[in-house]
Amino acid sequence: MEVIFMNKLSRMSDQNEEIAQLWIGEEDNAWHLGWSQYEAGDREDTIWYEGTSWEELLHIYRHQLAMQMSEGYRPLLHGLYHENEDLKLRSYAGQRLHCFSELYGNESLYEELCVWRRQKAASDRKAPYFVATNRLLRMISAFVPHTMDELMQLPGVGESKASEYGMEWLEMTNGVERSSSFPLDWVYTVLKEEEYESWLYKQKEQKFKQELDKFLTRKNVLEGMKEGQTLEEIVNRSGLSRRELIELLETLDLEGYDTDSLLDVELAVMPETEQEAVWQAYEELGDTFLKPVLHKVYGGERPEGGLEQVYERLRMIRIRFRRHVETERNAG
């Protein structure tokens, strides 16, 4: 195997230095990604990826490397993620406060704030994250502001948030003791650099895990279509809901992937006259909203198979309709 990339990493553990190597190799038109750990002269290899997809390898590489760096490993060659240093500097203060709040927050106060958020979101008919993010509630629980001025010093608390929810937050924090005070400049010296770096890489680990999961989901869907599987079979294979899968099909079709084989199978049970009526409704009403098309085609009648199934078919026909419109636009 020809090694095309290698980097040495190390970390201190019980006063001993642990050594590892991250490497990428190529052999017989296949990529290999691995992690080699050295202990007492012995080498233990772990294979993270073997296959032909360079894109998949990169997703796994980013996720696995972030995991190791969050555990304290640091590379001999820096810049593995090509971070934008200017962006890091601009967000430095906020990131430090966020890090400290996650590592040293008051868990009971955080849970109380979460309960409040659920109740407030339900009463205001808002999504919970519109009321307050986890990050903001973590900061309130860690730094325990007792006055409106202190509350306003937390990143994420503007005049609008403070006026809308500030008094309710302060009612919960005023009875809680705290070991620190405002302003929060002390955080930048108290928080250890190693703690901060490990926390940063834990954030990267979570981000790259989401990207890897999204990539693997798309891969499963594309392979399922190539193998001629049905919508339900691909749902079981990918872990997506039927609605999520159809939304992904819309995206894949826009990106140029061939979705016709799957659409043919799913629409085969729908009468041609019904499909033509849906197509004509799109031509007349446009394809932005489904409800007007539903009423145009079915009127006040209850569609056979239930609304959910009908909406699925409307969306699948819309995929073809939009492709047709785009093809005609490009031809003209």
Side-chain angles (χ1 to χ4, degrees), residues 32 36 42 50 88 96 104 110 115 135 147 163 174-175 192 194 199 218 228 245 265 269-270 302 317 321 329 332:
H32 302 259
S36 300
D42 294 328
E50 288 181 332
K88 287 175 65 179
R96 289 266 171 163
Y104 300 105
Y110 176 70
V115 171
R135 176 175 179 168
T147 68
S163 63
N174 277 329
K192 297 176 182 178
E194 184 61 30
W199 175 83
R218 284 172 62 98
L245 176 53
V265 171
V269 296
M270 187 178 185
R302 182 179 180 85
I317 294 173
F321 179 80
R329 183 183 296 119

Side-chain angles (χ1 to χ4, degrees), residues 46-59:
T46 302
I47 304 300
W48 288 344
Y49 175 76
E50 288 181 332
T52 58
S53 172
W54 177 253
E55 187 179 3
E56 184 173 357
L57 179 147
L58 287 179
H59 279 290

Side-chain angles (χ1 to χ4, degrees), residues 16 70 76 99 101 108 113 137 166 176 198 209-210 231 244 262 270 308 320 325 330:
N16 295 318
S70 70
L76 178 64
C99 171
S101 70
S108 61
L113 287 163
L137 297 188
V176 179
S198 293
K209 178 63 165 62
Q210 292 174 348
L231 194 73
E244 289 170 334
L262 179 56
M270 187 178 185
E308 186 174 343
R320 285 182 163 164
V325 170
N330 292 335

